[in-house]
Amino acid sequence: MSSFRETVLEIDLNAVTHNFKVLKSKLQPETKILAVVKAFAYGSDAQVIAKHLQGLEIDYFAVAYVKEGIALREAGITKPILVLHCQPINFPLIIEHCLEPSLYSERILKEFITIADQKKQTDYPVHIKFNTGLNRLGFAVGTVNLISSYLKQTTSIRVASIFSHLAASEDDNEKPFTLKQIEDFKIASTNLRSLLDYKPFLHLCNTSGILNFPQAHFDMVRSGIGIYGFGNDNKFNSWFQPISTLKTCISQIHYLKAGDSLGYNRAYIANKETVTATLPIGHADGIHRSLGKGKGYVMINNKRAAIIGNVCMDMIMVDVTDIDCAEGDEVIIFDKTNSANLLAEKAESISYELITSISQRVKRTFIR
Ligand SMILES: *Cc1c(COP(=O)(O)O)cnc(C)c1O
């Protein structure tokens, strides 16, 4: 044991390049790619990932909130940044940082025009979002005339794109629903375009949409999870490489006798002599409590060690009775082969939730 170890999330930028190329290979050459880098680039590092993608042929970025967009501008990102979910209170900041809002309702459209007028903008780029069935954010498909009446009264904004979001693009059983969303999006976007004297570009697909609905790529696609190495399906997962490895080390080993308990609430009681390892990572780092009590596991010297007892804030304990290991040894929580989606499944969760939960307390390192 030579090297000093602690909990780190190691991010492989070569894997980002690989995933980007896989996505690109699924598109027509002229189709643009938007990289979704919200939530710290799905729990990795938004600034580093966005800078890396800016060096590839990325066309657009998207974040959820204004604050995330400002952080990218401060890191030197110059490509357009779409803000998916803004609130009127942040509209002045949007304009000050050249961010592009998704306008998803009459209230938001009206308020943005007011601020853009106040700030004496002309043709400020905005994106009109339609609700085609997710019922989360977006104008109803039938409100095209209303939208165009607002647009005709102002020169302060200009519609850069029209978009919508799929509800179940990864689910083959929901294919008819997705096809209906695609049709409704075509109708809404065609109608809105016909009322404008210019042609905003169109986008609909997220990662699973890209992979499952090649007929619906339109002018641009939006990928998040694919860039980070997951395809929401066994076949597609094998094309991508998870970019992150979460690893830690053994702090201490304990030897329990039959009847001894382990951890808070004595949630684990040894029924025989048991060897446990305590690891410096807990729920405050993103190891959800639901992975405790034998549900989740980590890898130590290529063997599975179950997480036993309750997950603590800063620690977990794992069963190493049958594993040859010592204090200081490396522990893998997830990596390219022991992937985050497999671990997430043990807690009835998904890759998205596990990777975006890795808290800012965990040190990030990069392979370039
Ligand atoms: C998060 C998000 C995406 C990315 O979805 P993935 O499944 O991660 O590719 C795309 N579009 C919108 C509107 C989103 O909110």
Side-chain angles (χ1 to χ4, degrees), residues 5-45:
R5 290 204 173 105
E6 60 182 332
T7 303
V8 293
L9 187 71
E10 186 181 85
I11 297 156
D12 181 358
L13 295 174
N14 302 315
V16 175
T17 305
H18 169 85
N19 297 332
F20 179 79
K21 285 185 177 157
V22 170
L23 289 163
K24 187 111 187 132
S25 75
K26 303 295 157 198
L27 306 177
Q28 298 299 315
E30 65 278 9
T31 307
K32 292 198 278 247
I33 306 189
L34 173 152
V36 181
V37 292
K38 60 193 178 192
F40 303 101
Y42 288 42
S44 59
D45 182 308

Side-chain angles (χ1 to χ4, degrees), residues 11 94 103 107-108 112 116 159 181 184 203 209 266 300 308-309 322 330:
I11 297 156
I94 290 233
L103 303 181
R107 174 180 71 101
I108 295 296
F112 193 76
V159 181
Q181 280 198 280
D184 286 351
H203 48 113
R266 309 187 64 209
I300 301 176
I308 50 177
D322 300 318
E330 182 176 86

Side-chain angles (χ1 to χ4, degrees), residues 9-160:
L9 187 71
E10 186 181 85
I11 297 156
D12 181 358
L13 295 174
N14 302 315
V16 175
T17 305
H18 169 85
N19 297 332
F20 179 79
K21 285 185 177 157
V22 170
L23 289 163
K24 187 111 187 132
S25 75
K26 303 295 157 198
L27 306 177
Q28 298 299 315
E30 65 278 9
T31 307
K32 292 198 278 247
I33 306 189
L34 173 152
V36 181
V37 292
K38 60 193 178 192
F40 303 101
Y42 288 42
S44 59
D45 182 308
Q47 278 98 328
V48 173
I49 297 286
K51 271 196 179 155
H52 182 74
L53 287 167
Q54 203 167 242
L56 306 172
E57 290 161 60
I58 200 76
D59 300 286
Y60 247 89
F61 289 106
V63 292
Y65 304 128
V66 173
K67 202 177 151 186
E68 298 175 306
I70 294 172
L72 291 184
R73 285 285 180 250
E74 284 170 353
I77 297 301
T78 52
K79 294 273 177 186
I81 302 172
L82 165 59
V83 181
L84 294 165
H85 197 174
C86 34
Q87 306 294 341
I89 192 170
N90 293 316
F91 285 165
L93 282 173
I94 290 233
I95 294 175
E96 281 157 34
H97 294 272
C98 293
L99 305 171
E100 303 181 4
S102 158
L103 303 181
Y104 51 85
S105 70
E106 185 181 2
R107 174 180 71 101
I108 295 296
L109 173 61
K110 243 162 68 179
E111 298 250 16
F112 193 76
I113 291 173
T114 304
I115 302 293
D117 282 342
Q118 269 173 21
K119 289 194 166 273
K120 310 225 175 328
Q121 299 297 308
T122 32
D123 289 347
Y124 195 89
V126 302
H127 303 262
I128 297 290
K129 182 172 204 183
F130 281 106
N131 170 26
T132 53
L134 185 58
N135 291 325
R136 198 173 68 172
L137 291 178
F139 284 96
V141 168
T143 55
V144 168
N145 289 323
L146 174 87
I147 299 168
S148 99
S149 70
Y150 279 104
L151 294 173
K152 291 208 161 113
Q153 288 164 32
T154 179
T155 53
S156 65
I157 65 170
R158 180 185 169 97
V159 181

Side-chain angles (χ1 to χ4, degrees), residues 212 264 273:
N212 290 319
Y264 286 132
E273 285 191 359

